[in-house]
Amino acid sequence: MRSKPIDGALAELRIEIEKYALEYGLDYYPVVFEVCDYDTINILAAQGGFPARYPHWRFGMDYDQLSKGYAYGLQKIYEMVVNTKPCYAYLLNANHWVDQKIVMAHVFGHADFFKNNYWFSNTDKNMMDVMANHGTKIRRYMDRYGQDAVEVFIDKILSLENLLDPAVLFETPEVARRRMASMVVEEQDDSSDDRSSALKSFMRQKARNDGDQVGQAPLPIEDHNSDYDSERYISPRDVMLYLIEHAPLEEWQADILGILREEAYYFLPQRMTKIMNEGWASYWHSTIMTQKALKASEIIDFADHHAGVMAMSKQNINPYKIGIELFRDIEYRWNTGKFGKEYLECTNMEVKENWNLDTGLGREKIFEVRKSHNDITFIDEFFTQEFCERQQLFTYKYNSRTGRYEIDSREFEEIKGKLLTSLTNFGQPVIEVEAVNFKNRGELLLRHVHQGVDLDLNYAAETLKNIHFIWKRPVNISTTQEGVETFMSFDGKEIKTGS
Amino acid sequence: MDHPIKRDHARFRKIVKGRIRDNLRKYISNGEMPSPKGDGQFKIPMPSIDTPRFKFGDKQQGGMGQGDGEAGDPVEGEEGEGEPGEGEAGNEAGSKELEVDLSLDELASILGEELELPNIEPKGKKTMESLTEKYTSIGTQGPDSLKHYKRSYKEALKRQIAMGQYDPNNPVVVPIKSDMRYRSADAKVEFENSAVVIYMMDVSGSMGDEQKEIVRTESFWINLWLKSQYKDIEIRYIIHDATAKEVEEETFFKTRESGGTLISSALKLCREIIQSDYNSAEWNIYPFHFSDGDNWSTDDTKLCLEILDNDIIPESNVFCYGQVESRYGSGQFYKDLHAKYGESNEEVILSKIKNKDAILDSIKDFLGKGK
């Protein structure tokens, strides 16, 4: 793996682009640009942008796919930005000069977003080091307990990786500290130390296990219906934390679970702001390039690259496209005053069409939006009928009669509804822990909060098996299938499904 | 040192191979054949290797897109085609179907491991000449792409020192045309074992599509194994009903004739091919015959056994007969061969293939002896 800091002409270019970014008011942690070859950038991308991760075959799989995609000319990663402080950005050495310009401008957009968007406010900005430490730790566990045992355990935990509660992102260090303290009474005040929370989870586990035997069934806790007192509160959607607390894990297992949970939460804001983040960065590369940085000779190449990134697809929503257009639309509406009670209640289409109050609040508004919204609220608030029509959006579904996918609807309400549904809970089903001592037999009961779309039962069954591996007692989930209450359980031998 | 991801990658490949081995029986009975890609690699669709998670079923889902079209118009392309543009850090693994590439050797070794196939002990001497070119030597002429920079500069340095033009304080070395050195190929003669597989198949009316499918699948895997064992391999195809003719691979699997069956016709043609093209001292010869067991008359069967005994078996490594069960076939030919050669004959291997699930076992029957 080779990457080196930019120098020479690229360093000069960076100074130029950065000057424009600052003039526009972008605000970010220092950005460190490095150039690397395609193999390195594929490695980095496979590892989520980090040069050092724990060993796991899945990174190798992603690397395999990316390398092939590059070799066959199907895809190419121009750049990668990591949400850290300083903010690391990798450029592909084979990029054209214009591409490097675009990419740098794009990077400053991302960097600004990482620093200012609220959903990122509690992400660990030292993640480079933290990830590397996680790698070292897990490698040590592999040395001690065997690579297979550790890898198999990680495979199982990955089944839980999407069972997260976004609210946890706003848990202030103070709340987290109090919760930790309440869990381990013996532990001293640790507000001043800088140990990773995964390490703390490990220590907490250790402290807890000193009290009771390792490897036992989960301790029965009162009645499963009674609420935990508020100090001990764990969000029912934070399934990983529930398992750390209640599953009969070995020390190293609890630690690994904590590590993977921490990493999952670190990536969560990126999953929740894909449209905004890409839209914002694209808005800025487009603005900086077209207004400042572009030379006349580069216009065609820029337009070609930009159009490629913004390409609309009939099969998918392109987050870059929707994001940038929505930001532009907001800017336009707030520049012309097309918002508020008066505008919305105006029934004269003619007047509405030509509405212009010269409010000029556009730029200010989009900076505000990038600060306080995530994809759902972004779409919910700013996705208007006019916008929907202009973007030629539609929904499609499978027609079993013709055996093909067909355009289903161009109705605004339906499209918006579908878009919001697909973004709810970052596109994952909402799963809650209902009871950790179900039937008073130490069974785990999960509940799928049904919001209109059924679970894939085959996957659910496999997932239950993996959770059982961790929980070691029967695991159950209640859900709804085609309108019927459905109950699925796995007791270590067979999957049972009933209504 | 290699980046640690190479180890993750190796691990992934190992898991994939394990998964393929576990699913080999399913692959084979489904008639799914890895598609060759031309560069000696095989593309294999992967049974899901992704982590199971709670996720939405896709029945009610459909999707969203952008573009022209009225309600009811088809959405072209495939669902989930990659989005264009810049890739973001891969925190969400794609849901795309995974395809892995395996080389012939890797695939064959999976087959070999799963079936515990012994390596084949080739008979005969290594007599086939084959030329292999290796870029091991250096020449003074060649294309720029093969330029050997180190050697070229060495030559230049030598020349400059010899001519007193080299100044250690200002070590500039400028090669001129006569200094240039190029990698060049050395041809090497190697002797190889080579093999020929002669497939014969009954295409008379009683062999249906399913039976042919079985033969096709079976022959694919047999070829794969033999290819991994011999560097040079030739494959010939003979179809027959009452008469036999040699055909191309494609025709072999597609032809359907009606009419009677004279197995001897195929064996006669096979004998001709062996006698004219393949000297058994040099070649490892593998005649495979597939039929549903029907033969026109007992006289013909007698003739068949004669040809086998006198001409084909002595020339071949092993003669293989696979009987594909069909509703119309009597299966008499198997019985006749069995009566003559018995279960454990060294030179004749008989196998009955009931249905697709039995293909794998039958492959083991044929190749398990390491002949």
Side-chain angles (χ1 to χ4, degrees):
Chain A
M1 192 167 116
R2 272 156 295 164
S3 78
K4 62 178 180 65
I6 51 171
D7 53 12
L10 271 180
E12 281 165 33
L13 182 63
R14 174 234 161 93
I15 293 169
E16 183 194 344
I17 303 287
E18 181 153 25
K19 193 182 89 198
Y20 303 138
L22 291 169
E23 277 169 18
Y24 280 115
L26 293 182
D27 165 36
Y28 45 80
Y29 295 121
V31 179
V32 179
F33 281 99
E34 303 211 338
V35 275
C36 47
D37 58 16
Y38 71 93
D39 192 48
T40 305
I41 212 158
N42 285 339
I43 292 175
L44 289 166
Q47 304 194 131
F50 291 88
R53 294 291 293 269
Y54 57 85
H56 192 263
W57 58 266
R58 147 186 74 118
F59 302 126
M61 175 172 80
D62 290 344
Y63 170 70
D64 189 68
Q65 302 287 308
L66 288 167
S67 304
K68 267 182 220 152
Y70 185 85
Y72 301 152
L74 300 174
Q75 81 201 39
K76 174 171 155 188
I77 299 170
Y78 290 96
E79 131 276 0
M80 220 165 16
V81 202
V82 189
N83 167 30
T84 47
K85 179 183 173 184
C87 187
Y88 277 86
Y90 302 97
L91 309 176
L92 179 63
N93 60 3
N95 286 346
H96 295 289
W97 186 249
V98 193
D99 292 342
Q100 300 291 30
K101 268 190 186 181
I102 302 172
V103 159
M104 280 189 185
H106 193 86
V107 163
F108 285 116
H110 278 307
D112 172 85
F113 196 86
F114 286 147
K115 182 178 173 187
N116 290 288
N117 184 275
Y118 279 141
W119 300 84
F120 287 88
S121 55
N122 281 330
T123 49
D124 193 336
K125 303 288 179 193
N126 288 321
M127 214 52 187
M128 277 298 172
D129 301 341
V130 175
M131 291 272 188
N133 288 344
H134 288 172
T136 309
K137 237 165 160 205
I138 291 183
R139 236 168 257 130
R140 269 189 211 149
Y141 287 134
M142 285 179 165
D143 289 344
R144 193 174 321 158
Y145 301 104
Q147 179 168 18
D148 289 325
V150 173
E151 197 170 60
V152 164
F153 186 71
I154 292 175
D155 285 348
K156 309 289 179 193
I157 302 178
L158 289 175
S159 270
L160 305 164
E161 215 187 19
N162 61 338
L163 307 182
L164 305 171
D165 183 0
V168 169
L169 293 175
F170 291 102
E171 193 176 65
T172 60
E174 174 59 16
V175 173
R177 193 189 60 75
R178 261 193 293 150
R179 200 191 54 217
M180 301 269 178
S182 73
M183 285 167 176
V184 183
V185 195
E186 307 95 306
E187 209 177 339
Q188 292 136 13
D189 182 46
D190 59 359
S191 57
S192 61
D193 79 5
D194 55 2
R195 285 173 289 193
S196 72
S197 55
L199 180 61
K200 285 175 205 157
S201 88
F202 167 73
M203 290 165 50
R204 187 173 69 245
Q205 191 65 26
K206 201 169 160 146
R208 200 163 61 85
N209 281 332
D210 285 344
D212 53 75
Q213 291 280 304
V214 184
Q216 259 183 0
L219 291 176
I221 318 146
E222 305 105 81
D223 187 298
H224 74 259
N225 288 323
S226 74
D227 286 333
Y228 295 97
D229 63 82
S230 56
E231 284 292 287
R232 272 189 73 92
Y233 179 77
I234 304 176
S235 160
R237 283 161 68 178
D238 196 351
V239 180
M240 291 175 103
L241 187 56
Y242 260 96
L243 293 189
I244 295 177
E245 284 304 311
H246 298 297
L249 298 170
E250 309 273 348
E251 281 180 19
W252 63 271
Q253 293 177 322
D255 191 26
I256 290 177
L257 187 46
I259 286 172
L260 265 74
R261 173 175 176 270
E262 189 180 342
E263 294 189 0
Y265 274 110
Y266 169 80
F267 283 119
L268 183 57
Q270 291 177 37
R271 299 170 73 173
M272 296 174 68
T273 56
K274 178 94 178 157
I275 295 176
M276 284 186 77
N277 206 339
E278 292 304 349
W280 183 251
S282 300
Y283 174 91
W284 285 109
H285 84 230
S286 161
T287 306
I288 289 174
M289 289 301 279
T290 53
Q291 296 184 1
K292 306 269 188 183
L294 206 52
K295 291 207 184 68
S297 62
E298 297 168 340
I299 288 176
I300 301 290
D301 286 335
F302 166 75
D304 183 46
H305 180 130
H306 184 74
V309 176
M310 295 302 147
M312 298 193 294
S313 149
K314 290 200 165 191
Q315 293 87 42
N316 282 317
I317 294 286
N318 179 350
Y320 292 81
K321 174 72 177 169
I322 295 296
I324 190 177
E325 293 295 346
L326 211 43
F327 272 117
R328 280 179 179 161
D329 189 54
I330 295 167
E331 185 178 30
Y332 164 74
R333 284 169 59 206
W334 262 259
N335 271 338
T336 54
K338 286 187 170 185
F339 61 93
K341 188 169 190 285
E342 218 173 311
Y343 173 77
L344 289 175
E345 286 178 354
C346 175
T347 49
N348 187 329
M349 293 312 281
E350 178 89 29
V351 177
K352 240 183 152 169
E353 185 71 37
N354 299 314
W355 192 282
N356 191 353
L357 302 178
D358 274 328
T359 35
L361 295 169
R363 200 42 77 68
E364 194 184 323
K365 182 67 183 175
I366 56 172
F367 270 96
E368 178 196 315
V369 169
R370 76 96 160 75
K371 199 176 186 84
S372 54
H373 283 269
N374 65 31
D375 279 350
I376 303 185
T377 60
F378 185 56
I379 297 291
D380 194 27
E381 192 156 341
F382 302 107
F383 188 84
T384 61
Q385 179 144 15
E386 294 81 15
F387 180 80
C388 179
E389 280 159 15
R390 225 174 25 245
Q391 290 303 315
Q392 298 183 290
L393 287 160
F394 60 78
T395 63
Y396 63 82
K397 67 178 179 196
Y398 186 71
N399 183 337
S400 49
R401 212 163 40 78
T402 54
R404 61 186 188 189
Y405 284 93
E406 288 177 356
I407 295 179
D408 181 40
S409 164
R410 285 188 179 274
E411 287 296 315
F412 166 64
E413 292 295 335
E414 202 160 315
I415 291 168
K416 187 164 180 176
K418 194 151 199 167
L419 196 47
L420 287 174
T421 307
S422 74
L423 293 170
T424 300
N425 199 37
F426 49 98
Q428 303 295 323
V430 176
I431 307 286
E432 291 185 348
V433 174
E434 186 94 340
V436 290
N437 189 23
F438 182 54
K439 293 186 194 158
N440 205 23
R441 303 176 57 220
E443 295 190 11
L444 180 69
L445 175 61
L446 301 173
R447 188 167 69 89
H448 167 221
V449 182
H450 196 275
Q451 292 169 328
V453 186
D454 293 352
L455 285 186
D456 183 319
L457 280 193
N458 293 330
Y459 272 78
E462 292 305 310
T463 311
L464 281 187
K465 287 180 192 168
N466 282 357
I467 299 178
H468 179 273
F469 181 90
I470 301 167
W471 190 253
K472 298 189 180 71
R473 295 278 304 148
V475 287
N476 312 273
I477 185 166
S478 70
T479 176
T480 307
Q481 283 286 317
E482 290 168 355
V484 184
E485 277 288 319
T486 307
F487 197 80
M488 187 185 253
S489 57
F490 182 69
D491 59 5
K493 291 192 192 74
E494 54 171 342
I495 288 281
K496 284 201 195 93
T497 317
S499 302
Chain B
M1 202 187 89
D2 268 353
H3 189 270
I5 202 157
K6 305 288 171 178
R7 256 173 290 162
D8 291 341
H9 190 231
R11 193 96 185 147
F12 161 68
R13 301 279 298 176
K14 209 175 127 196
I15 290 172
V16 163
K17 281 185 215 162
R19 202 63 71 92
I20 293 173
R21 189 163 54 237
D22 294 345
N23 286 286
L24 193 64
R25 187 169 291 269
K26 215 160 64 194
Y27 270 125
I28 292 180
S29 10
N30 289 346
E32 272 176 47
M33 262 162 284
S35 41
K37 286 202 315 173
D39 54 354
Q41 298 269 310
F42 288 85
K43 224 172 31 195
I44 300 181
M46 221 21 227
S48 72
I49 192 168
D50 54 339
T51 307
R53 298 208 167 107
F54 291 120
K55 63 166 211 169
F56 293 123
D58 39 47
K59 242 187 280 173
Q60 295 129 306
Q61 281 213 304
M64 299 180 67
Q66 269 181 297
D68 310 323
E70 300 281 309
D73 285 359
V75 178
E76 297 119 24
E78 277 171 43
E79 199 185 0
E81 254 174 37
E83 70 196 30
E86 291 149 80
E88 182 63 14
N91 50 38
E92 253 174 302
S95 58
K96 52 203 174 264
E97 165 120 342
L98 194 61
E99 272 185 346
V100 291
D101 298 338
L102 289 180
S103 69
L104 185 143
D105 281 341
E106 284 174 309
L107 199 55
S109 81
I110 289 172
L111 181 75
E113 269 174 52
E114 176 65 17
L115 295 183
E116 297 170 341
L117 298 179
N119 281 330
I120 290 175
E121 193 74 48
K123 64 165 199 176
K125 286 170 292 190
K126 295 190 172 186
T127 42
M128 282 298 287
E129 276 185 24
S130 80
L131 277 183
T132 41
E133 296 208 324
K134 282 192 175 146
Y135 283 88
T136 48
S137 79
I138 295 285
T140 52
Q141 258 149 27
D144 272 359
S145 57
L146 292 175
K147 201 182 273 169
H148 195 307
Y149 283 93
K150 211 170 173 180
R151 295 288 283 265
S152 301
Y153 274 86
K154 240 186 199 166
E155 289 301 319
L157 182 61
K158 274 195 230 164
R159 178 180 48 77
Q160 288 192 357
I161 291 172
M163 294 173 75
Q165 290 169 347
Y166 181 72
D167 172 12
N169 296 317
N170 180 28
V172 177
V173 179
V174 182
I176 58 170
K177 192 155 188 305
S178 62
D179 297 329
M180 293 304 177
R181 293 294 179 270
Y182 303 86
R183 291 183 172 83
S184 76
D186 261 351
K188 219 175 141 194
V189 182
E190 281 178 357
F191 291 95
E192 301 287 339
N193 282 304
S194 41
V196 58
V197 189
I198 303 168
Y199 285 108
M200 290 164 274
M201 180 163 68
D202 177 5
V203 289
S204 65
S206 53
M207 288 281 282
D209 286 339
E210 200 192 323
Q211 282 76 25
K212 274 185 216 150
E213 184 62 36
I214 289 174
V215 175
R216 199 162 81 94
T217 310
E218 182 143 353
S219 65
F220 171 85
W221 291 97
I222 290 171
N223 287 347
L224 183 84
W225 179 250
L226 293 176
K227 274 180 193 164
S228 77
Q229 300 283 317
Y230 294 101
K231 194 167 176 202
D232 250 331
I233 192 158
E234 284 186 19
I235 300 168
R236 308 282 287 258
Y237 296 95
I238 298 170
I239 53 174
H240 73 95
D241 45 13
T243 55
K245 60 184 168 201
E246 189 181 354
V247 293
E248 295 293 303
E249 181 179 0
E250 205 173 323
T251 329
F252 183 73
F253 293 114
K254 284 196 175 145
T255 313
R256 180 154 199 185
E257 308 276 347
S258 51
T261 314
L262 288 173
I263 295 178
S264 62
S265 65
L267 295 178
K268 274 181 203 154
L269 184 56
C270 175
R271 174 176 65 186
E272 261 171 52
I273 290 177
I274 293 174
Q275 283 170 357
S276 67
D277 293 351
Y278 305 102
N279 175 357
S280 69
E282 289 173 10
W283 291 82
N284 291 277
I285 300 171
Y286 293 89
F288 278 85
H289 182 227
F290 293 96
S291 91
D292 58 4
D294 260 348
N295 203 6
W296 186 255
S297 65
T298 42
D299 284 350
D300 190 66
T301 303
K302 219 183 262 169
L303 182 59
C304 287
L305 296 179
E306 240 167 66
I307 298 172
L308 282 175
D309 269 346
N310 297 333
D311 301 315
I312 294 185
I313 293 174
E315 301 286 305
S316 312
N317 282 35
V318 62
F319 173 80
C320 296
Y321 173 70
Q323 184 159 294
V324 190
E325 207 130 299
S326 104
R327 261 188 297 165
Y328 312 103
S330 61
Q332 186 57 41
F333 197 59
Y334 182 93
K335 285 177 205 156
D336 295 337
L337 288 175
H338 190 263
K340 176 140 198 302
Y341 299 107
E343 198 65 65
S344 53
N345 193 298
E346 283 297 302
E347 284 156 330
V348 179
I349 299 175
L350 307 174
S351 175
K352 271 192 200 173
I353 311 153
K354 263 209 192 84
N355 49 35
K356 285 184 173 177
D357 292 332
I359 296 175
L360 198 65
D361 297 323
S362 155
I363 294 173
K364 188 168 165 66
D365 285 344
F366 286 143
L367 303 175
K369 290 193 175 162
K371 298 288 277 189

